[in-house]
Amino acid sequence: MEKKLIEESKKYLMNTYARLPVVLRKGRGMKVWSTDGKEYLDFVGGIAVNILGHCHPKVVIALQKQSQRLLHVSNLYHIEPQIKLARLLIETSCADRVFFCNSGAEAVEAAIKLARKYSKEHGVADKYEIITAHGSFHGRTLAALSATGQEKFHKGFEPLVPGFKHIPFNDIDALTKAITKHTCAVMLEPIQGEIGIKLPSESYLKQVRQICDDNGLLLILDEVQTGMGRTGKFFAYEHFGIEPDIITLAKGLGGGVAIGAMLAKDSVAHSFQPGTHASTFGGNPLACVAAIATIETLLEDGFILDNCNRMGKYFKKSLERLKKEFPSSIAEIRGMGLMLGMELTKPCASIVNLCLEKGVLINCTSGNVLRFLPPLIVTEKEIDSLIDVLEDVFGEVA
Ligand SMILES: *Cc1c(COP(=O)(O)O)cnc(C)c1O
């Protein structure tokens, strides 16, 4: 049956993903099962989406209840779960107001529009340019793509949206030099995810914040991947002793349900007024109750964030041990909390395939980096299982 499904998948869907030969049907916690009944340990976690694991009971029950009450109403009206979720996010962040949308790219689009609108209202009329970093990833819609600092994603889609300038990440001089009278904002991922988990130096983001303040620029942090406790704190910016003006969130926000959010300080948020920006499904009741259940569970007595920190350290140590064992295959281990990358000396596709055969899902990004973004509920035992499989696999390919 699985073979037939894969044939149909290839026939009917646009060929936008290099999919592995498995059809996933069911998930619980750290595990997923395919249509042919095989069990997998999931260290991809929907690429940072399944923050509480698959089908967390609190999220499932919230969705069941809401699905019998109200699925959708327009943003022409106030919506109960949206208000509660907004309050939760504001109480948890340095921001004052929220705009809801449905994905990371949409949250980035909203941030770009807000930054431009605010700057035009508060500076000169042609203040519109946003500086972003080489190696960044901000999404696939046209403006988010133009903001993304990787040429390979731009190819074939030109002309791009004007008004973006890309500079090397972690390079303060380059930032200072790139600022002109047209610059309105700097947008960065606190830790770059898609390019293979690249961390800023300890003082980088603090210096960026200072430069933004000195030049009247907004600081936008794209926390679509790093947010929701992924790095051991609710937002990654909390590690660096700064506050951004605008934050984007998505991926883990709905605990597996599609939702995005753009958060901003009051003074900036004020530039969005009725008619300036909107989304039909943004803040949909069903998505909002999933996000409320996810955040409440995540913050409940701090257990999950604590687990993320402890398991992150344990995981990183285990990967370092593996690196010592296979120095010619493994170049570097990087990361924070449960956002970990292992750079290999060769492309990692064969490693991913061998792990799949042995019942473990892992992700390869940027060609040669194994990226681990497991649910924050992962245990030592599950990390040990992955490490055992990786040890076998590296032994086989060595
Ligand atoms: C995944 C990602 C996005 C895009 O999110 P989508 O939901 O796929 O549109 C944007 N920014 C960052 C940092 C991401 O990791």
Side-chain angles (χ1 to χ4, degrees), residues 17 47-49 102-108 136-141 144 148 188-194 221-226 248-251 258-260 339 371 373:
Y17 307 99
I47 314 192
V49 167
N102 313 288
S103 68
E106 277 179 72
V108 168
S136 61
F137 185 83
H138 298 294
R140 304 288 197 147
T141 54
T148 294
L188 297 167
E189 297 161 84
I191 296 169
Q192 293 189 321
E194 199 278 339
L221 288 185
D222 183 352
E223 294 244 19
V224 167
Q225 193 165 148
T226 53
T248 56
L249 264 187
K251 290 201 164 98
I259 182 169
M339 183 175 182
R371 175 173 52 166
L373 301 163

mmCIF file of all heavy atoms in Angstrom, residues 17 47-49 102-108 136-141 144 148 188-194 221-226 248-251 258-260 339 371 373, ligand 1:
data_model
loop_
_atom_site.group_PDB
_atom_site.id
_atom_site.type_symbol
_atom_site.label_atom_id
_atom_site.label_comp_id
_atom_site.label_asym_id
_atom_site.label_seq_id
_atom_site.Cartn_x
_atom_site.Cartn_y
_atom_site.Cartn_z
ATOM 1 N N TYR A 17 9.337 19.094 -3.032
ATOM 2 C CA TYR A 17 10.124 18.550 -1.908
ATOM 3 C C TYR A 17 10.844 17.273 -2.310
ATOM 4 O O TYR A 17 10.272 16.443 -3.016
ATOM 5 C CB TYR A 17 9.216 18.239 -0.705
ATOM 6 C CG TYR A 17 8.361 19.411 -0.278
ATOM 7 C CD1 TYR A 17 7.033 19.506 -0.679
ATOM 8 C CD2 TYR A 17 8.887 20.442 0.499
ATOM 9 C CE1 TYR A 17 6.248 20.581 -0.314
ATOM 10 C CE2 TYR A 17 8.107 21.527 0.874
ATOM 11 C CZ TYR A 17 6.791 21.596 0.457
ATOM 12 O OH TYR A 17 6.021 22.661 0.812
ATOM 13 N N ILE A 47 10.392 19.911 11.667
ATOM 14 C CA ILE A 47 11.308 21.069 11.607
ATOM 15 C C ILE A 47 10.879 22.140 12.613
ATOM 16 O O ILE A 47 10.400 23.222 12.246
ATOM 17 C CB ILE A 47 11.476 21.654 10.182
ATOM 18 C CG1 ILE A 47 11.708 20.508 9.178
ATOM 19 C CG2 ILE A 47 12.630 22.655 10.148
ATOM 20 C CD1 ILE A 47 12.173 20.938 7.803
ATOM 21 N N ALA A 48 11.010 21.780 13.886
ATOM 22 C CA ALA A 48 10.790 22.711 15.011
ATOM 23 C C ALA A 48 9.317 23.056 15.256
ATOM 24 O O ALA A 48 9.008 23.974 15.989
ATOM 25 C CB ALA A 48 11.602 23.997 14.840
ATOM 26 N N VAL A 49 8.403 22.292 14.629
ATOM 27 C CA VAL A 49 6.969 22.560 14.820
ATOM 28 C C VAL A 49 6.407 21.791 16.018
ATOM 29 O O VAL A 49 5.722 22.363 16.871
ATOM 30 C CB VAL A 49 6.181 22.203 13.532
ATOM 31 C CG1 VAL A 49 4.683 22.160 13.799
ATOM 32 C CG2 VAL A 49 6.500 23.213 12.432
ATOM 33 N N ASN A 102 -0.575 33.000 9.455
ATOM 34 C CA ASN A 102 -0.662 31.533 9.360
ATOM 35 C C ASN A 102 0.656 30.804 9.151
ATOM 36 O O ASN A 102 0.668 29.583 9.059
ATOM 37 C CB ASN A 102 -1.609 31.165 8.208
ATOM 38 C CG ASN A 102 -2.878 31.978 8.274
ATOM 39 O OD1 ASN A 102 -3.703 31.758 9.147
ATOM 40 N ND2 ASN A 102 -3.012 32.937 7.385
ATOM 41 N N SER A 103 1.742 31.539 9.028
ATOM 42 C CA SER A 103 3.022 30.875 8.740
ATOM 43 C C SER A 103 4.181 31.807 9.077
ATOM 44 O O SER A 103 3.973 33.002 9.351
ATOM 45 C CB SER A 103 3.094 30.507 7.262
ATOM 46 O OG SER A 103 3.167 31.689 6.485
ATOM 47 N N GLY A 104 5.385 31.258 8.991
ATOM 48 C CA GLY A 104 6.578 32.050 9.257
ATOM 49 C C GLY A 104 6.780 33.139 8.214
ATOM 50 O O GLY A 104 7.062 34.290 8.541
ATOM 51 N N ALA A 105 6.634 32.758 6.945
ATOM 52 C CA ALA A 105 6.838 33.736 5.873
ATOM 53 C C ALA A 105 5.857 34.900 6.016
ATOM 54 O O ALA A 105 6.230 36.064 5.818
ATOM 55 C CB ALA A 105 6.667 33.060 4.510
ATOM 56 N N GLU A 106 4.630 34.596 6.377
ATOM 57 C CA GLU A 106 3.632 35.660 6.555
ATOM 58 C C GLU A 106 3.980 36.564 7.737
ATOM 59 O O GLU A 106 3.707 37.765 7.704
ATOM 60 C CB GLU A 106 2.255 35.050 6.804
ATOM 61 C CG GLU A 106 1.534 34.641 5.559
ATOM 62 C CD GLU A 106 0.194 34.019 5.908
ATOM 63 O OE1 GLU A 106 -0.717 34.736 6.317
ATOM 64 O OE2 GLU A 106 0.100 32.791 5.805
ATOM 65 N N ALA A 107 4.535 35.977 8.789
ATOM 66 C CA ALA A 107 4.948 36.788 9.940
ATOM 67 C C ALA A 107 6.076 37.729 9.516
ATOM 68 O O ALA A 107 6.101 38.912 9.892
ATOM 69 C CB ALA A 107 5.398 35.889 11.094
ATOM 70 N N VAL A 108 6.988 37.227 8.677
ATOM 71 C CA VAL A 108 8.090 38.047 8.169
ATOM 72 C C VAL A 108 7.551 39.157 7.261
ATOM 73 O O VAL A 108 7.970 40.318 7.351
ATOM 74 C CB VAL A 108 9.133 37.163 7.431
ATOM 75 C CG1 VAL A 108 10.116 38.010 6.645
ATOM 76 C CG2 VAL A 108 9.871 36.270 8.430
ATOM 77 N N SER A 136 20.975 33.798 5.890
ATOM 78 C CA SER A 136 19.699 33.855 6.618
ATOM 79 C C SER A 136 18.614 33.120 5.852
ATOM 80 O O SER A 136 18.740 32.862 4.642
ATOM 81 C CB SER A 136 19.275 35.312 6.831
ATOM 82 O OG SER A 136 19.086 35.963 5.591
ATOM 83 N N PHE A 137 17.537 32.789 6.553
ATOM 84 C CA PHE A 137 16.352 32.223 5.922
ATOM 85 C C PHE A 137 15.121 32.860 6.537
ATOM 86 O O PHE A 137 14.917 32.788 7.736
ATOM 87 C CB PHE A 137 16.288 30.700 6.087
ATOM 88 C CG PHE A 137 15.127 30.103 5.344
ATOM 89 C CD1 PHE A 137 15.217 29.825 3.981
ATOM 90 C CD2 PHE A 137 13.924 29.845 5.990
ATOM 91 C CE1 PHE A 137 14.125 29.305 3.284
ATOM 92 C CE2 PHE A 137 12.836 29.328 5.290
ATOM 93 C CZ PHE A 137 12.934 29.056 3.940
ATOM 94 N N HIS A 138 14.306 33.506 5.686
ATOM 95 C CA HIS A 138 13.126 34.195 6.210
ATOM 96 C C HIS A 138 11.836 33.757 5.545
ATOM 97 O O HIS A 138 10.785 34.351 5.795
ATOM 98 C CB HIS A 138 13.316 35.712 6.082
ATOM 99 C CG HIS A 138 14.481 36.231 6.859
ATOM 100 N ND1 HIS A 138 14.527 36.198 8.243
ATOM 101 C CD2 HIS A 138 15.674 36.753 6.472
ATOM 102 C CE1 HIS A 138 15.685 36.706 8.654
ATOM 103 N NE2 HIS A 138 16.402 37.041 7.604
ATOM 104 N N GLY A 139 11.873 32.730 4.687
ATOM 105 C CA GLY A 139 10.644 32.222 4.080
ATOM 106 C C GLY A 139 10.641 32.342 2.572
ATOM 107 O O GLY A 139 11.555 32.906 1.972
ATOM 108 N N ARG A 140 9.577 31.822 1.937
ATOM 109 C CA ARG A 140 9.542 31.633 0.482
ATOM 110 C C ARG A 140 8.625 32.581 -0.271
ATOM 111 O O ARG A 140 8.573 32.522 -1.499
ATOM 112 C CB ARG A 140 9.102 30.200 0.181
ATOM 113 C CG ARG A 140 9.966 29.146 0.830
ATOM 114 C CD ARG A 140 11.315 29.045 0.178
ATOM 115 N NE ARG A 140 11.964 27.793 0.520
ATOM 116 C CZ ARG A 140 12.773 27.132 -0.280
ATOM 117 N NH1 ARG A 140 13.063 27.606 -1.469
ATOM 118 N NH2 ARG A 140 13.320 26.012 0.114
ATOM 119 N N THR A 141 7.803 33.383 0.417
ATOM 120 C CA THR A 141 7.000 34.368 -0.312
ATOM 121 C C THR A 141 7.964 35.428 -0.828
ATOM 122 O O THR A 141 9.095 35.541 -0.349
ATOM 123 C CB THR A 141 5.948 34.998 0.606
ATOM 124 O OG1 THR A 141 6.606 35.526 1.755
ATOM 125 C CG2 THR A 141 4.917 33.969 1.043
ATOM 126 N N ALA A 144 9.776 37.884 1.650
ATOM 127 C CA ALA A 144 10.564 37.103 2.615
ATOM 128 C C ALA A 144 11.754 36.444 1.909
ATOM 129 O O ALA A 144 12.853 36.353 2.461
ATOM 130 C CB ALA A 144 9.687 36.056 3.292
ATOM 131 N N THR A 148 15.795 36.931 2.397
ATOM 132 C CA THR A 148 16.661 35.778 2.654
ATOM 133 C C THR A 148 18.028 35.970 1.992
ATOM 134 O O THR A 148 18.101 36.247 0.796
ATOM 135 C CB THR A 148 15.980 34.486 2.140
ATOM 136 O OG1 THR A 148 14.815 34.253 2.934
ATOM 137 C CG2 THR A 148 16.900 33.290 2.206
ATOM 138 N N LEU A 188 17.348 39.899 11.708
ATOM 139 C CA LEU A 188 18.260 38.772 11.917
ATOM 140 C C LEU A 188 17.549 37.608 12.586
ATOM 141 O O LEU A 188 16.602 37.812 13.349
ATOM 142 C CB LEU A 188 19.418 39.201 12.832
ATOM 143 C CG LEU A 188 20.362 40.295 12.334
ATOM 144 C CD1 LEU A 188 21.222 40.778 13.494
ATOM 145 C CD2 LEU A 188 21.236 39.787 11.185
ATOM 146 N N GLU A 189 18.029 36.391 12.319
ATOM 147 C CA GLU A 189 17.676 35.257 13.168
ATOM 148 C C GLU A 189 18.675 35.295 14.335
ATOM 149 O O GLU A 189 19.880 35.409 14.083
ATOM 150 C CB GLU A 189 17.880 33.940 12.416
ATOM 151 C CG GLU A 189 17.010 33.742 11.197
ATOM 152 C CD GLU A 189 17.590 32.666 10.279
ATOM 153 O OE1 GLU A 189 17.342 31.485 10.524
ATOM 154 O OE2 GLU A 189 18.308 33.005 9.319
ATOM 155 N N PRO A 190 18.215 35.181 15.576
ATOM 156 C CA PRO A 190 19.170 35.195 16.703
ATOM 157 C C PRO A 190 20.204 34.080 16.580
ATOM 158 O O PRO A 190 21.373 34.268 16.883
ATOM 159 C CB PRO A 190 18.289 34.984 17.929
ATOM 160 C CG PRO A 190 16.899 35.269 17.503
ATOM 161 C CD PRO A 190 16.822 35.059 16.019
ATOM 162 N N ILE A 191 19.741 32.916 16.121
ATOM 163 C CA ILE A 191 20.629 31.818 15.731
ATOM 164 C C ILE A 191 20.149 31.407 14.342
ATOM 165 O O ILE A 191 18.969 31.133 14.151
ATOM 166 C CB ILE A 191 20.520 30.623 16.705
ATOM 167 C CG1 ILE A 191 20.992 31.027 18.103
ATOM 168 C CG2 ILE A 191 21.300 29.418 16.187
ATOM 169 C CD1 ILE A 191 20.682 29.999 19.179
ATOM 170 N N GLN A 192 21.057 31.394 13.360
ATOM 171 C CA GLN A 192 20.630 31.040 12.003
ATOM 172 C C GLN A 192 20.343 29.546 11.919
ATOM 173 O O GLN A 192 21.197 28.721 12.264
ATOM 174 C CB GLN A 192 21.708 31.437 10.999
ATOM 175 C CG GLN A 192 21.878 32.954 10.895
ATOM 176 C CD GLN A 192 22.792 33.352 9.749
ATOM 177 O OE1 GLN A 192 23.801 32.700 9.479
ATOM 178 N NE2 GLN A 192 22.447 34.449 9.077
ATOM 179 N N GLY A 193 19.134 29.198 11.477
ATOM 180 C CA GLY A 193 18.716 27.796 11.487
ATOM 181 C C GLY A 193 18.982 27.055 10.199
ATOM 182 O O GLY A 193 19.790 26.125 10.155
ATOM 183 N N GLU A 194 18.339 27.501 9.126
ATOM 184 C CA GLU A 194 18.348 26.748 7.869
ATOM 185 C C GLU A 194 19.750 26.564 7.304
ATOM 186 O O GLU A 194 20.060 25.528 6.710
ATOM 187 C CB GLU A 194 17.435 27.471 6.857
ATOM 188 C CG GLU A 194 16.978 26.628 5.691
ATOM 189 C CD GLU A 194 17.996 26.534 4.589
ATOM 190 O OE1 GLU A 194 18.890 27.407 4.505
ATOM 191 O OE2 GLU A 194 17.918 25.584 3.795
ATOM 192 N N LEU A 221 13.756 40.615 15.056
ATOM 193 C CA LEU A 221 14.337 39.284 15.246
ATOM 194 C C LEU A 221 13.366 38.237 14.724
ATOM 195 O O LEU A 221 12.212 38.184 15.145
ATOM 196 C CB LEU A 221 14.682 39.035 16.712
ATOM 197 C CG LEU A 221 15.890 39.816 17.251
ATOM 198 C CD1 LEU A 221 16.203 39.388 18.683
ATOM 199 C CD2 LEU A 221 17.145 39.651 16.379
ATOM 200 N N ASP A 222 13.845 37.437 13.784
ATOM 201 C CA ASP A 222 13.047 36.348 13.226
ATOM 202 C C ASP A 222 13.242 35.124 14.117
ATOM 203 O O ASP A 222 14.241 34.407 14.012
ATOM 204 C CB ASP A 222 13.487 36.074 11.783
ATOM 205 C CG ASP A 222 12.633 35.000 11.120
ATOM 206 O OD1 ASP A 222 11.816 34.366 11.823
ATOM 207 O OD2 ASP A 222 12.775 34.794 9.901
ATOM 208 N N GLU A 223 12.256 34.918 15.012
ATOM 209 C CA GLU A 223 12.317 33.796 15.964
ATOM 210 C C GLU A 223 11.383 32.659 15.530
ATOM 211 O O GLU A 223 10.903 31.897 16.370
ATOM 212 C CB GLU A 223 11.949 34.293 17.370
ATOM 213 C CG GLU A 223 12.952 35.279 17.960
ATOM 214 C CD GLU A 223 13.662 34.748 19.211
ATOM 215 O OE1 GLU A 223 13.675 33.514 19.427
ATOM 216 O OE2 GLU A 223 14.210 35.587 19.956
ATOM 217 N N VAL A 224 11.128 32.576 14.233
ATOM 218 C CA VAL A 224 10.231 31.535 13.724
ATOM 219 C C VAL A 224 10.744 30.140 14.115
ATOM 220 O O VAL A 224 9.971 29.259 14.474
ATOM 221 C CB VAL A 224 10.053 31.675 12.194
ATOM 222 C CG1 VAL A 224 9.406 30.438 11.588
ATOM 223 C CG2 VAL A 224 9.211 32.906 11.879
ATOM 224 N N GLN A 225 12.072 29.965 14.063
ATOM 225 C CA GLN A 225 12.652 28.666 14.417
ATOM 226 C C GLN A 225 13.164 28.622 15.857
ATOM 227 O O GLN A 225 13.058 27.605 16.540
ATOM 228 C CB GLN A 225 13.799 28.329 13.445
ATOM 229 C CG GLN A 225 14.261 26.895 13.519
ATOM 230 C CD GLN A 225 15.117 26.485 12.320
ATOM 231 O OE1 GLN A 225 15.999 25.667 12.450
ATOM 232 N NE2 GLN A 225 14.863 27.026 11.151
ATOM 233 N N THR A 226 13.712 29.749 16.339
ATOM 234 C CA THR A 226 14.350 29.764 17.669
ATOM 235 C C THR A 226 13.364 29.987 18.814
ATOM 236 O O THR A 226 13.704 29.732 19.960
ATOM 237 C CB THR A 226 15.404 30.897 17.738
ATOM 238 O OG1 THR A 226 14.767 32.125 17.346
ATOM 239 C CG2 THR A 226 16.582 30.635 16.831
ATOM 240 N N THR A 248 9.135 37.853 15.031
ATOM 241 C CA THR A 248 8.277 36.945 14.276
ATOM 242 C C THR A 248 8.306 35.567 14.911
ATOM 243 O O THR A 248 9.338 35.107 15.402
ATOM 244 C CB THR A 248 8.735 36.822 12.806
ATOM 245 O OG1 THR A 248 10.104 36.399 12.793
ATOM 246 C CG2 THR A 248 8.601 38.138 12.071
ATOM 247 N N LEU A 249 7.159 34.923 14.935
ATOM 248 C CA LEU A 249 6.992 33.592 15.520
ATOM 249 C C LEU A 249 6.155 32.746 14.572
ATOM 250 O O LEU A 249 5.273 33.271 13.897
ATOM 251 C CB LEU A 249 6.216 33.679 16.835
ATOM 252 C CG LEU A 249 6.908 33.745 18.188
ATOM 253 C CD1 LEU A 249 5.841 33.659 19.274
ATOM 254 C CD2 LEU A 249 7.925 32.645 18.373
ATOM 255 N N ALA A 250 6.393 31.451 14.534
ATOM 256 C CA ALA A 250 5.497 30.518 13.813
ATOM 257 C C ALA A 250 5.894 29.108 14.250
ATOM 258 O O ALA A 250 5.835 28.817 15.444
ATOM 259 C CB ALA A 250 5.581 30.695 12.307
ATOM 260 N N LYS A 251 6.334 28.288 13.319
ATOM 261 C CA LYS A 251 6.741 26.904 13.581
ATOM 262 C C LYS A 251 6.152 26.296 14.869
ATOM 263 O O LYS A 251 5.072 25.755 14.832
ATOM 264 C CB LYS A 251 8.257 26.786 13.535
ATOM 265 C CG LYS A 251 8.789 26.965 12.107
ATOM 266 C CD LYS A 251 10.170 26.386 11.867
ATOM 267 C CE LYS A 251 10.451 26.253 10.390
ATOM 268 N NZ LYS A 251 11.232 27.334 9.811
ATOM 269 N N ALA A 258 -1.031 25.112 12.087
ATOM 270 C CA ALA A 258 -0.474 26.253 11.364
ATOM 271 C C ALA A 258 -0.914 27.573 11.975
ATOM 272 O O ALA A 258 -2.104 27.894 12.015
ATOM 273 C CB ALA A 258 -0.906 26.192 9.899
ATOM 274 N N ILE A 259 0.049 28.338 12.478
ATOM 275 C CA ILE A 259 -0.216 29.688 12.977
ATOM 276 C C ILE A 259 1.097 30.469 13.020
ATOM 277 O O ILE A 259 2.155 29.895 13.302
ATOM 278 C CB ILE A 259 -0.898 29.666 14.373
ATOM 279 C CG1 ILE A 259 -1.205 31.098 14.867
ATOM 280 C CG2 ILE A 259 -0.084 28.889 15.392
ATOM 281 C CD1 ILE A 259 -2.094 31.176 16.095
ATOM 282 N N GLY A 260 1.020 31.754 12.712
ATOM 283 C CA GLY A 260 2.180 32.631 12.801
ATOM 284 C C GLY A 260 1.789 33.882 13.565
ATOM 285 O O GLY A 260 0.595 34.187 13.710
ATOM 286 N N MET A 339 18.337 22.900 19.677
ATOM 287 C CA MET A 339 18.539 23.353 18.299
ATOM 288 C C MET A 339 20.005 23.070 17.999
ATOM 289 O O MET A 339 20.878 23.903 18.250
ATOM 290 C CB MET A 339 18.231 24.848 18.208
ATOM 291 C CG MET A 339 18.336 25.439 16.822
ATOM 292 S SD MET A 339 17.798 27.158 16.847
ATOM 293 C CE MET A 339 17.961 27.573 15.107
ATOM 294 N N ARG A 371 20.732 18.463 11.212
ATOM 295 C CA ARG A 371 20.081 19.416 12.123
ATOM 296 C C ARG A 371 19.103 18.655 13.001
ATOM 297 O O ARG A 371 18.226 17.957 12.504
ATOM 298 C CB ARG A 371 19.368 20.496 11.307
ATOM 299 C CG ARG A 371 18.554 21.461 12.156
ATOM 300 C CD ARG A 371 18.009 22.615 11.345
ATOM 301 N NE ARG A 371 17.281 22.224 10.145
ATOM 302 C CZ ARG A 371 16.505 23.060 9.441
ATOM 303 N NH1 ARG A 371 16.380 24.319 9.811
ATOM 304 N NH2 ARG A 371 15.865 22.637 8.359
ATOM 305 N N LEU A 373 16.158 18.936 15.729
ATOM 306 C CA LEU A 373 15.159 19.834 16.323
ATOM 307 C C LEU A 373 14.051 18.990 16.962
ATOM 308 O O LEU A 373 12.877 19.115 16.610
ATOM 309 C CB LEU A 373 14.552 20.735 15.237
ATOM 310 C CG LEU A 373 15.508 21.639 14.455
ATOM 311 C CD1 LEU A 373 14.844 22.142 13.177
ATOM 312 C CD2 LEU A 373 15.950 22.820 15.311
HETATM 313 C C1 LIG B 1 10.973 28.250 8.661
HETATM 314 C C2 LIG B 1 11.357 29.658 8.774
HETATM 315 C C3 LIG B 1 10.633 30.671 8.134
HETATM 316 C C4 LIG B 1 9.493 30.379 7.179
HETATM 317 O O1 LIG B 1 8.412 29.774 7.823
HETATM 318 P P1 LIG B 1 7.227 29.141 6.932
HETATM 319 O O2 LIG B 1 6.185 28.772 7.970
HETATM 320 O O3 LIG B 1 7.796 27.944 6.225
HETATM 321 O O4 LIG B 1 6.761 30.175 5.996
HETATM 322 C C5 LIG B 1 11.001 31.983 8.356
HETATM 323 N N1 LIG B 1 12.035 32.284 9.175
HETATM 324 C C6 LIG B 1 12.757 31.341 9.809
HETATM 325 C C7 LIG B 1 13.856 31.743 10.726
HETATM 326 C C8 LIG B 1 12.450 29.995 9.626
HETATM 327 O O5 LIG B 1 13.192 29.058 10.228
#
